[in-house]
């Protein structure tokens, strides 16, 4: 690029002095004589155009006189350290839980202040430390990942203050905060009175919004029906398999109402 420079300065210390004997050679200048010397403060106006690209750390000689200036890029660039930032916290963590600390630096002692540009109202950031905290318990089953944008700024609220932003990815890990639930209130199955013991009567499956071990469950048959039937769990599919435990007689009883309960294997007492 081409850079135009305009210089305007008054240089009282740069005073041109002549002996009074030399005044006869100067015409058209108003001078004041003091102790045998004449002083004339000078105001210099200079405007010159560079006709060649100016590189950083390169001296530019403007005009015939040696009035060189040196330009350099400051090495104290404001930036976040140790990024990109990622953090994981358990869902339903208490309000005020510390998530992660972000740190910006410009290699100087300038005071930096942090603010949150994206991520409210779920998160907040401490102004002077850059520590991100939760504002409330968060449910993984509703949103499992957040992208929080943090800004660091010096000379806050002043024109010309430098700022830099970073994005923090915050994931929620699962806790067992949801019980198993059956999608239907009633299931209908049929079996022949001639079926042998061990015959599979049918399958049912409860749903759990949690994942992994937190979704693992067992099934139980409640009441008197447990004398004639039992239920096992398919660990891969989480299905409950109803199996004939005792032979049935149609003439003696043609219908059984079986109550089945789904129970998580790993229970978090906090959410009972």
């Amino acid at each position: 690029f081409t850079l135009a420079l305009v210089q305007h300065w008054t240089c009282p210390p740069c005073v041109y002095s002549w002996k009074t004997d030399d005044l006869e050679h100067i015409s058209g200048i108003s001078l004041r004589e003091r102790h045998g010397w004449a002083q004339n403060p000078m105001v210099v106006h200079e405007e010159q155009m560079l006709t060649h690209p100016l590189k950083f750390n390169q001296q530019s000689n403007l005009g015939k006189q040696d009035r060189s200036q040196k330009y350099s890029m400051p090495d104290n660039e404001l930036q976040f350290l140790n990024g990109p930032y990622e953090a994981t916290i358990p869902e339903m963590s208490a309000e005020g839980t510390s998530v992660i600390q972000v740190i910006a630096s410009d290699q100087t002692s300038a005071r930096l202040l942090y603010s949150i540009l994206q991520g409210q109202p779920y998160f907040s950031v401490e102004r002077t430390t850059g520590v991100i905290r939760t504002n409330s318990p968060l449910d993984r089953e509703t949103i499992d990942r957040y992208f929080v944008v943090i800004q660091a700024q010096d000379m806050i609220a002043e024109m010309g203050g430098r700022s830099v932003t970073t994005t923090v990815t915050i994931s929620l890990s699962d806790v067992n905060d949801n019980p198993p639930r059956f999608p239907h209130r009633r299931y209908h199955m049929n079996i022949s009175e001639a079926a042998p013991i061990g015959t599979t009567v049918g399958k049912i499956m409860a749903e759990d919004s949690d994942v992994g071990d937190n979704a693992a469950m067992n099934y139980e048959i409640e009441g008197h029906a447990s004398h004639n039937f039992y239920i096992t769990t398919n660990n891969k599919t989480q299905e409950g398999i109803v199996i004939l435990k005792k032979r049935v007689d149609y003439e003696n009883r043609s219908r059984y109402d079986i109550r089945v309960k789904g129970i998580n294997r790993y229970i978090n007492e906090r959410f009972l």
Side-chain angles (χ1 to χ4, degrees):
F1 57 89
T2 300
L3 177 68
L5 301 180
V6 177
Q7 298 176 325
H8 180 196
W9 72 88
T10 302
C11 49
C14 304
V15 177
Y16 284 83
S17 302
W18 299 271
K19 291 183 180 180
T20 54
D21 295 340
D22 298 330
L23 293 179
E24 60 183 10
H25 301 295
I26 304 174
S27 60
I29 302 177
S30 177
L31 302 175
R32 183 166 58 120
E33 185 175 345
R34 180 181 180 186
H35 300 294
W37 291 84
Q39 297 181 341
N40 181 24
M42 299 186 65
V43 177
V44 180
H45 296 268
E46 178 178 344
E47 180 175 349
Q48 298 191 24
M49 179 72 71
L50 287 176
T51 58
H52 60 279
L54 181 62
K55 299 180 180 179
F56 294 114
N57 296 321
Q58 173 188 352
Q59 292 184 346
S60 172
N61 295 323
L62 298 177
K64 296 180 179 179
Q65 298 182 359
D66 185 14
R67 291 187 296 268
S68 63
Q69 297 188 16
K70 187 174 182 179
Y71 296 84
S72 62
M73 175 66 76
D75 58 0
N76 56 345
E77 180 183 0
L78 181 61
Q79 60 182 342
F80 277 95
L81 308 178
N82 305 322
Y85 292 97
E86 297 181 356
T88 300
I89 60 171
E91 65 171 323
M92 307 306 293
S93 295
E95 178 182 348
T97 297
S98 175
V99 179
I100 192 174
Q101 182 180 27
V102 296
I103 300 176
S105 175
D106 62 356
Q107 299 180 356
T108 71
S109 58
R111 182 186 181 190
L112 301 179
L113 297 178
Y114 299 89
S115 60
I116 184 168
L117 303 184
Q118 177 181 303
Q120 295 175 320
Y122 310 106
F123 300 92
S124 61
V125 63
E126 294 181 354
R127 294 276 285 170
T128 57
T129 66
V131 174
I132 299 174
R133 297 185 180 276
T134 59
N135 282 343
S136 61
L138 302 173
D139 184 20
R140 185 199 66 84
E141 287 74 35
T142 303
I143 302 176
D144 63 354
R145 183 172 298 173
Y146 296 84
F147 299 96
V148 179
V149 178
I150 301 297
Q151 175 181 265
Q153 186 175 21
D154 66 351
M155 298 184 296
I156 192 70
E158 295 184 13
M159 294 299 294
R162 297 171 303 158
S163 65
V164 65
T165 61
T166 188
T167 299
V168 182
T169 302
I170 301 175
S171 301
L172 301 182
S173 61
D174 186 59
V175 299
N176 191 1
D177 60 336
N178 294 284
R181 289 185 172 88
F182 289 99
H184 307 289
R185 293 184 60 86
R186 298 191 67 86
Y187 295 83
H188 298 277
M189 301 176 185
N190 296 290
I191 188 173
S192 171
E193 66 174 351
I197 294 175
T199 298
T200 296
V201 180
K203 298 178 181 180
I204 60 174
M205 186 170 69
E207 297 176 347
D208 194 318
S209 300
D210 298 317
V211 295
D213 290 342
N214 292 324
M217 68 186 76
N218 292 320
Y219 298 91
E220 291 182 359
I221 292 179
E222 299 179 328
H224 295 291
S226 62
H227 297 299
N228 296 91
F229 306 92
Y230 70 94
I231 188 170
T232 62
T233 303
N234 184 322
N235 293 327
K236 293 183 178 180
T237 64
Q238 294 298 303
E239 292 176 306
I241 304 172
V242 180
I243 299 174
L244 184 63
K245 181 179 180 181
K246 181 180 179 181
R247 294 284 298 269
V248 292
D249 182 10
Y250 178 83
E251 286 73 26
N252 183 41
R253 187 174 181 178
S254 62
R255 175 174 173 172
Y256 291 85
D257 291 320
I258 304 173
R259 184 178 180 84
V260 177
K261 178 173 64 175
I263 305 172
N264 279 131
R265 295 179 189 172
Y266 309 101
I267 298 176
N268 189 330
E269 295 182 357
R270 177 185 171 193
F271 302 104
L272 289 178

